[in-house]
Every structure is written in structure tokens, then in C-alpha cells.
Amino acid sequence: MTYIAKPKFAHPSLQPNAVGYTRRDYEGRVSTLCAGCGHDSISAAIVQACFELDLEPHRLAKLSGIGCSSKTPDYFLGASHGFNTVHGRMPSVLTGANLANRSLVYLGVSGDGDSASIGLGQFAHSIRRGVNMTYIVENNGVYGLTKGQFSATSDKGSKSKKGVVNHDSAIDMVSLALQLGATFVARSFSGDKAQLVPLIKAALRHKGAAFIDTISPCIAFNNHAGSTKSFDWVREHNEAVNRLDVMIGRSPITADYSEGSTVQVEQHDGTVLTLRKLAADYDPTDRIRAMGFLQERAAAGEVVTGLLYVDPEAEDLHDALGTTRTPLNELNTADLTPGSAALSDINASLR
Amino acid sequence: MPITAVNDFVVKFANVNGSGSASANGLFVKSILRSGVPVAARNIFPSNIQGLPTWYEVRVSGEGWMGRRGGVDLMVAMNPQTWDKDVAEIEPGGYLFYDSTRPMPADKFRSDITVIGAPLQRICNTAYSDPRQRQLFKNIIYIGVLAYLLGIENTVIETLLAEQFATKPKLIPANIEAFHMGVTYARENLKPLGLQVKTADAVGDRIFIEGNDAAGLGAVYGGATVCAWYPITPSTSLAESFTNWCQKLRVDKETGESKFAIVQAEDEIASIGMVVGAGWNGARAFTCTSGPGISLMQEFIGLSYFAEIPAVIFDVQRGGPSTGMPTRTQQSDILSAAYASHGDTKHVLLLPRDPGECFEFGAMAFDLADRLQTTIFVMLDLDMGMNEWLTEPFKWDDAKQLDRGKIMTAEMLDAGRDFGRYLDVDGDGVPFRTYPGTHPSKGAYFTRGTSRDRYARYSEEGAVYVDNMERLLRKFETAKSLVPQPIEAKAGKPTRFGVIHYGSTGPAMDEAMAALEAQGLYVDALRIRAFPFPGEVFDFIERHDLVFVIEQNRDAQLRTLLMAEGGVDPARLVKILHYEGAPITARFITKEITALMGAPVQSEMAK
């Protein structure tokens, strides 16, 4: 056996959600990543987010590139179609898939090697086109599958497991996404499920390009002293600007927001994002100030997490193209082929 | 003796890129077509916007020969930079037309040709003060002179000018006036040539269109809904054509919504990536590119092959390798397309001959991509793609339904059909697929470029891998019966000699075959229209002692493919290669075959 299926056994007390699925229905195969890998925590957060959103698993398409992170779509939402594409090229494939059928939910999962190096161009262009997707980068700052090389998000001055010091500047995916016009930008930490799950929920409900950079320590090659992507380092330097809850119309807000001020953002589809402000002067709807705030805190050595920017009025690529509401893959011969009469007119115009 | 010919000659315009000559030259060609005389025109242009030499070669052929003949009967020499070369190209007894505003030294002419001068610049300078007008109307004036010299009816050109400027009617009288300046000068100062256009009825209902435009329309009729492309000569106009046709034919009149999505990608890699994503998700998708783009797309082409995702690539071939000759024509991507990407791959190639087949194959490619769940290449070239060709009118059968291939629906899954994404249920190598989102609990699978078993589960087992690769070969075998079959043109007499050709070589080959027969040399010609090669191709080779393979590339790429796929003895396939960048001519083919069918080959055959 070169794949591992999960046992069919499920606890009878598992509660179904509003569309009749239990949490078990959102799981996939058994992970073959290292025990303790941050990516598995992200997979678990995706499972929980989709369950809580009452998203029918088969209505989500999950796409990835190549690398540890890109293996993970096999480990969640087993009833969804998945596509493990080629290195760094997931964004174009997702864009094409989205063009073909706008009615599905698109989740792109990538890594820092996949998206910040070979795939930087495709990442950038899918974001600037406003493809309606949730794009998660599982960012561990290292090449895991090839055993420990620095990636383009490794911080300058951080150390590899072998003690080598990185001399290149890091690419900050969040700053890039903001600059490129992403309409939902967040950063989180695989070890902070309470923050990550609502962010994924909000991103999945967002119309337009939603980007979540998730620091996800590599337990095998980047979880040592000197690393700025280790569990300990991120816990010590995490500066959360807000905490989020998502209200999908019928759902009551369950989180306790008694401490600090809150801000509510209503998206196109009626989703209400309620943010408990931790940084008092932080406004998640101000792109310019968000960019400045990020740079300022990064200079102070902090990793800012939370919902960093959202445009609740965002439009997507289909809006820009004026595409028909009917998914293109459902159009039939009569919709698509102009017929022989039109062709006769065309012939006549070419003489 | 000056050449005399009615409706059978070659005119070549030597111009400067960016001088506005293209529309005037196009007007000239259209006027001959409207006179009922078949015509074939070819742009020969540099990879440059302005200032460098450009030529426009017009074949007038009452007989209907639509390839390049070779040689020039009338040179319209409007570019001093290329004067010597242009003058040298004229056939003995031919004609040279030039702007005689400034005197030329006698040694710049030839004694065996007829020289006709008209002071075009002086006429313009007298009539117009604006420099741009002087330039543009100069072109219209020389059309007026030529119309008189060749006997083209004034009314034909006047009508065409009115059509050309229908949206800018203010320009019509000025253009007609300039045209008449030329006619008047010629009538008063020059004599008609030995070359004449006589009104005929030889065009019929044929249409005049570029191959790229025809292919773009074919993609509309083939049901393509997603086009992701990146600009590259000579394929750009194909995407632009698809855009234009979609805007005319596929926008919902009531809602204004588009039944298509066109994205100019950031590069060729992203464009094919989008095509693969759209194909995976059940839309008909394509990209168009040229050789350098194919090089960049290799990784995705391999994914399309191995993960079995429909994709269509229009490859408008140009001169390679590397940047090569971007605005010159070749047929030199055959091998790189047939075996694109790493590992063991084979791809389906469609080889249209003219815009008529660009339309037909352009539509068919999408049915094939869905039926075979793989990449289909439609191999045009610059000659066919960017030149207007006279071609049979497009036809469409309204009873035809788009063939989406083997799709497992929710109903089929509910009915208990076993679904294994890579199961060969019918023995033809083609599995069923499901579209994402099909069913809540059945039919989902994971698509990957890594090896997997029949149920799409990751596997590196040797036997599982071999099973999959063998099925892909079965599928390729199935393709042989689905692709366009070759067409044989039999010689006037039984012969041991055959010719294999493909693509844009066709029209020149037709004329060469007639020229050879006139010399008593007989060859049967087989035009290959697709790869994989149907059995008939190898039957043809088997039936002939010697087969000439005519190609527009250096390395005889189709011949290599014939040897590789059919195990043909190389000695029986004789290369005839033309790859200098301009389209092949009938004279070149005739000369090569004549030489080969002479003594050396005859004695070889006698052994």
C-alpha cells in the first residue's frame, strides 16, 4: 500500500451540522507528514472551518502545488475533488478551474517554497486578478521535502538546522498580497487554532482573492534555536491585532467580546465579520495603514497576526470579465455554437 | 520578350514597415478577387514595427494555384534599401515599377526587363501638404497606376474603398480621388502591361481569411469557453480573433453576460496552467502560442498527458530554434509538440492545410480533447496563420452536438456504476472522469502528476505504473481512428514514387504535382492531417518504392516521426526540405523532385 486510508470507524455521537455532515466527513486520508507538523494543524483547522460553515464537502475544490504543504489537500475533505498540480503553478490552475465553474468554493494550499520562489509570479497574478479563492500559504521558512534548505521567506539572519546563517532578505507574503490588491489578507499561526479557524471561515466566505499566510513550523528542519519560524519563536513574538468571529446570517455570535472594542464588517454575501480589537488603533479596512503597521511591527521583531485587511465590497475576476452566472462548464451546444445560419453570414462577409 | 499573361502572374511589393502600405496592398488583392480571379497573398515582414523592409507577394492564378509559385513577374519597388535584391528577383521579361520622382542611374536597372516609372512622390507633394497624407496617399496612387497597367476595373476598387471606409465615410472621397490620380497619370503617360487581369468567374463562393482568424472562429464553434493566452507572434491574432468572434456571437443580448472567459495571462506557463485548470473542471479551454511558448509549457503538457486533462493548444509555428526568426514561417515544432515534456509522452497533432481546415480542426480539437482527455495540438504556421488565404466557405452541421467524452454523472454514480478515474472500462484506453462537485459522496478523486492506480490512489508500484502507461498507449491507438484521416492525390499514371506532405505545403504541392506531370514525372501525394498516423500512412509508404517527404524544417521532423512510429526504413523516405523562412514554392518542390527522380534515383531503384 502506498497510500493510507483512514479507518471507516466513526464515533456514533458525532453531531451533524446543518447540511447533515459530521466532522468526520470533512477529513481525508491519514497524513504522511512528520508527527507534530504545523501543516497537520492547518488541515485540522480547515476541517473545522468547513464543518462549521456547513459547507458541503463536494462543493469545494482543493488545489495545491508541490511540496509538504501541497500534499495536505489529501488529508482533508476526502469527498472533494483535489488537484496536486506542479511546482508553484497552482494559482494558474485554480484560476482556470474557477473560470470554468464559478459555483464551487476554491481553496488553494501552498507552501513558502511553492509560492514565494518558483510560484511567486503566479501567486502575484492570481491575487491581482481577484480570483475568488482562499489561498493559504503554509509558511515554514524551509524546504522540508529536500531536507532543510532556506526558502525565500526565511528571515535574514535566521539559522538553518545545520547552523548556517541566511544572508538573503525574506519575502513577506502578507505585505506582497496587500500591495497586489488582495481583498482579504490575514496572517496566523498553525499553533493558534482559535485564531486560525475563524480566519479560514471568513476567507472561504469572502468574494475575491483571500490570502492567509500561516506560520507553520517544520518540526524536522526548522524548529530549533535561531529559527524565526519555530513554535517557540512565533509564540514569543506573535502580535495579534484582533480576534475574529464570523456570523453567517443565521448563526449567533458565540464568542465573548466583552473585552476591548469590537468592529463589525459585513461582506457582500451577508457574512458579518466581528473583530475584537487587540491593537486599539488597528483598522482592518484601511489597506495603506495596514501596510504601514505591518512594516512598523516587523521592524520591532514582531509577527503580526489576525485579519489584517478586508474589502467587504470586493469584486472578483468573473465580475471583471462579465461572465455569465451559469457556470461555463454547464453551457451546452445551443449556448455555445452559433450555428450554420450565423456561419453563412460570416462567409458572406469574407468575400 | 516581355512576359505576357492573363490572370497568371506574380506581383511583389517591396515596402517599408510602418509606411501604411499594408491596407493599399490588401486593396490590390481584394480588387483581383472581386474580379473573379483567384489570388494568394503573403506578407514577408521583419520582426520590427517600423523602418525595416517588408514585402507582399501576390500570386494571381486563374487556374487556382494558391501556393507560392516562385519568381516575380512584376516588382513594385517602393523601398530603395532593398532595390538591388528586388530588381534581381524579377523574371527575365518581367516588369519593374518604381517611383521615378528622383532619377536613378542606368546601372540600377536591367536590360531584360521592362521598367515603368511614375513620379509618385511628386504627385503627392503637389496634391498634399501634410507629410502623413503624402505617405498614405502615395500607396493609394500606386494602386491606381497598377490598376490601369493591369486592366483592373476602376469601379471594383471604388467599391472596395467605400467598404473599407464605411465607418469613416469622410475618408472615402479623398481615397477615391487619390486612386484616380494614379489612374489618370498612368492613362496619360504609360501603356498597359503584358500582364493583365481579366474579369472571370473562378473564385466561386470561396472566402478570403487568415488561418488564425479561421481557427479562432473554429474555437467558438467547437464550444471553447476559456481562452488563456500570452502575446507572441505569430499566434496573437488567433486570441484576438477568438475575442472578436465571442463578442459578436457569445454575448447574451438580454443580460449582456459573456458566455466565455478570456484572460491574457502573465506568461505562457500561466496560460496553459489556466487551460489545464479549466479543462479539469469541465470547460473547453485553449491557449495559442508559438515554438518558444511550447518550450515554456512543457511541464503542464506532461501533466495534461499523465493526469489526462483535456487541453487544446494552437501552435502557430515560426522560424526556430530559440527566438529564431519570429516573423518567418516554418514547420519546425513537429517533434517538440509530438513528444512534449519529460518522460514517455505522445501527443495528438492536427495538421490543417488552410484556413478551411483551421476552422474545421479548430472546432474538432475540443471534441478530441474531451474524448481523449489529453492535450490536442493544432499545428498552424505563420504562412497559414497570418496570411489571408482563399478557402472553401465554412460549413457547420446544426445537428452536431459537442462531444464531451466519457463523463460520469451523478445519476450514473447513483445507479451504481463503478467509478475508477483511470479504469479502462471500454478497452479503448479512455477512462471516465467526473467533474468536481458532481456528487456528495461518490466520484471525487485526487488528480496528481505522480503515479497512481486505477482508482487515482497514489502508488509507486512498478506494475501499477506500467499498467497505467500501457493504457495511455491504448488511448493513443484509439486516437488514430478519431483524428482526420490522410488524403491521397493519385498521379495521372501508376507510379512507384510517392510524396508525403502536410500543412501549408499543400497548395504549392498541388501545383508542383501538375508541373511534374507536365514533364512526364508521376508521383502519388499523401497529405497527412494528423498524428498519430493512421495505418493508411504506412500502407501508402508500403505501396511506393520511394517516398519524398516534404517539410519546412531543417531536420526532417515528420520523417523522423514516421521512422519512429512506423519503423519505416529511412532509405525509403527521401527528405525534401525548405526552411529559409519564406513559404515553400511550387518551383522548389518541382525542381527537387525532378532532380531526385532523374538518374540518381532511377539507378538506385534499379538495384
Side-chain angles (χ1 to χ4, degrees), chain B residues 93-393:
Chain B
Y95 302 85
L96 169 69
F97 174 82
Y98 79 113
D99 180 355
S100 60
T101 303
R102 288 181 191 158
M104 298 280 283
D107 65 354
K108 285 288 180 187
F109 300 102
R110 275 168 47 189
S111 59
D112 62 339
I113 58 174
T114 302
V115 177
I116 309 119
L120 301 173
Q121 198 61 58
R122 193 188 312 150
I123 296 171
C124 282
N125 290 351
T126 307
Y128 308 104
S129 56
D130 177 64
R132 187 62 184 159
Q133 278 187 330
R134 284 176 173 173
Q135 176 62 56
L136 291 176
F137 285 124
K138 182 176 161 185
N139 301 324
I140 299 296
I141 292 169
Y142 76 60
I143 297 299
V145 176
L146 291 175
Y148 175 79
L149 293 174
L150 296 169
I152 300 168
E153 302 273 352
N154 290 352
T155 50
V156 171
I157 292 182
E158 287 162 0
T159 306
L160 283 168
L161 283 169
E163 289 176 17
Q164 187 176 328
F165 296 107
T167 55
K168 297 174 186 168
K170 283 184 185 169
L171 296 177
I172 297 171
N175 276 276
I176 289 180
E177 189 185 345
F179 168 68
H180 277 287
M181 281 184 212
V183 174
T184 305
Y185 178 86
R187 190 190 304 120
E188 291 172 358
N189 299 282
L190 305 170
K191 289 179 188 166
L193 306 185
L195 310 175
Q196 288 289 296
V197 175
K198 281 271 163 60
T199 302
D201 189 16
V203 172
D205 63 352
R206 278 182 285 179
I207 58 175
F208 197 55
I209 186 172
E210 290 179 0
N212 282 351
D213 202 4
L217 184 63
V220 173
Y221 273 79
T225 51
V226 175
C227 166
W229 67 291
Y230 185 71
I232 181 172
T233 302
S235 73
T236 301
S237 60
L238 202 160
E240 290 169 345
S241 158
F242 181 72
T243 307
N244 290 338
W245 292 119
C246 279
Q247 283 166 353
K248 281 181 190 157
L249 302 165
R250 287 261 200 84
V251 176
D252 189 297
K253 288 193 174 98
E254 287 176 13
T255 63
E257 291 178 345
S258 300
K259 295 175 189 167
F260 57 90
I262 300 166
V263 176
Q264 182 185 318
E266 61 268 31
D267 54 36
E268 286 89 345
I269 301 171
S271 63
I272 184 69
M274 290 181 207
V275 169
V276 166
W280 174 74
N281 214 0
R284 296 194 148 188
F286 77 95
T287 187
C288 49
T289 189
S290 187
I294 299 294
S295 295
L296 286 164
M297 294 177 185
Q298 298 281 316
E299 188 181 27
F300 264 124
I301 293 167
L303 181 68
S304 161
Y305 176 78
F306 197 50
E308 301 182 61
I309 297 165
V312 172
I313 300 175
F314 291 91
D315 178 8
V316 190
Q317 299 168 87
R318 67 187 210 184
S322 188
T323 315
M325 296 196 289
T327 58
R328 311 294 164 141
T329 198
Q330 273 186 359
Q331 297 175 314
S332 53
D333 298 346
I334 300 297
L335 277 175
S336 61
Y339 298 132
S341 198
H342 53 271
D344 292 321
T345 58
K346 288 172 192 269
H347 306 289
V348 175
L349 315 183
L350 304 182
L351 305 167
R353 164 199 155 106
D354 56 23
E357 284 191 345
C358 288
F359 172 78
E360 182 188 345
F361 294 4
M364 178 196 298
F366 295 92
D367 275 356
L368 284 173
D370 271 351
R371 286 187 74 172
L372 294 165
Q373 297 172 32
T374 194
T375 290
I376 307 293
F377 285 90
V378 188
M379 306 294 288
L380 288 77
D381 61 25
L382 182 143
D383 179 20
M384 189 189 318
M386 287 189 72
N387 287 314
E388 286 181 295
W389 286 36
L390 198 59
T391 191
E392 292 300 317

Side-chain angles (χ1 to χ4, degrees), chain B residues 14-25:
Chain B
N15 295 110
V16 177
N17 219 14
S19 65
S21 58
S23 62
N25 297 345

Side-chain angles (χ1 to χ4, degrees), chain A residues 113-124:
Chain A
D114 200 54
S115 277
S117 288
I118 185 170
L120 192 63
Q122 293 217 340
F123 162 76

Side-chain angles (χ1 to χ4, degrees), chain A residues 251-294:
Chain A
S251 307
I253 301 173
T254 54
D256 176 7
Y257 283 125
S258 56
E259 289 178 25
S261 66
T262 62
V263 58
Q264 291 199 328
V265 180
E266 185 173 351
Q267 300 203 98
H268 253 324
D269 66 347
T271 314
V272 178
L273 313 179
T274 302
L275 293 113
R276 179 161 55 100
K277 284 188 172 189
L278 298 179
D281 60 346
Y282 195 81
D283 176 3
T285 61
D286 186 336
R287 185 189 295 273
I288 308 298
R289 288 188 63 191
M291 292 167 84
F293 184 83
L294 276 173

Side-chain angles (χ1 to χ4, degrees), chain A residues 30-54:
Chain A
V30 172
S31 171
T32 59
L33 299 175
C34 309
C37 177
H39 296 357
D40 284 334
S41 302
I42 299 171
S43 294
I46 291 168
V47 166
Q48 189 175 333
C50 291
F51 171 78
E52 290 179 6
L53 281 181
D54 302 326

